[in-house]
Amino acid sequence: MSYPLYRHGTYALIDGVSHRVSYSFGENYVHFPDGVSEKPTPYPRTEPIPVDMCERVFSVQVYASYRGHGVLIDELDEAGHARLMEAEWDGEWATVNGFVQENAYEYYKTADVRQLTDYYEKQTDLLFSRWRSAHFSRPIEGHAPTGGWANGDPAVISGRPRTGVVKDEDGRLAEVTTRAEYLGYPCEIAGITADGSVGLYYLGADAEQAEADGFREVYDGRLAKTVHIYDLARYHEHHVDLLFDKWRAGTELPYDN
């Protein structure tokens, strides 16, 4: 049995409905497969749609834990067979656990989807750069960002960043945090203020190096720093699926081979 809410690829939210689309960075339109929308919408959609008419355009990659290790769910068939790619760059662990090396650093294995835990979607915001350019000027040299925290409360500009429990248009229920990289560090975005200041929480493992690069302990004991929005890379939303474990618990697990 396959998890019914599994998806991957590129999607656009149009008229309150998510659609599988194709989109290339910097384009002004999203395109439906075969030129036709797969789902009904309030208005006929048979032509490419301007991105300015899309509420969101995002790509989805699905991750989970398998035997305590992070994996990418590359494919999932109707029988619930998941094609997994080892996602922590640990070839030794992958080999011991039955993964087969297919490329220089990529190891794959097929397993039952019910053997997975900690299921989440990584939704990369494909319109982030366009939105950033429309709302913020590039930083001025010598002017340090000062906001980003809104006096300790998250600040939101035109719907970004999103956080909290969200029920989306397809019935998914997820705990959402918005994330990005700063100087190569994985970070959670606490808020974005009108001057382009961004409050970051550090999510990496090297706290000593993070402190050396200006992260400080604030608010709730987490290492944090205020940076400019043009300092961010790989902006995305982290959607922890709150329905997967419930679905999984209702299905008998197979023998772990």
Side-chain angles (χ1 to χ4, degrees), residues 149 152 154 188 190 200-202 216-224:
W149 298 99
E188 178 184 335
L200 297 181
Y201 288 123
Y202 175 70
R216 296 291 183 266
E217 191 170 334
V218 298
Y219 303 130
D220 57 0
R222 304 170 72 183
L223 289 174

Side-chain angles (χ1 to χ4, degrees), residues 50-61:
V51 295
D52 290 340
M53 294 179 62
C54 300
E55 297 159 62
R56 299 177 63 218
V57 180
F58 57 98
S59 67
V60 177
Q61 292 177 302

Side-chain angles (χ1 to χ4, degrees), residues 121-133:
E121 288 188 351
K122 177 182 177 181
Q123 296 187 6
T124 300
D125 186 337
L126 300 180
L127 300 184
F128 172 71
S129 295
R130 179 188 294 262
W131 171 83
R132 180 173 62 181
S133 297

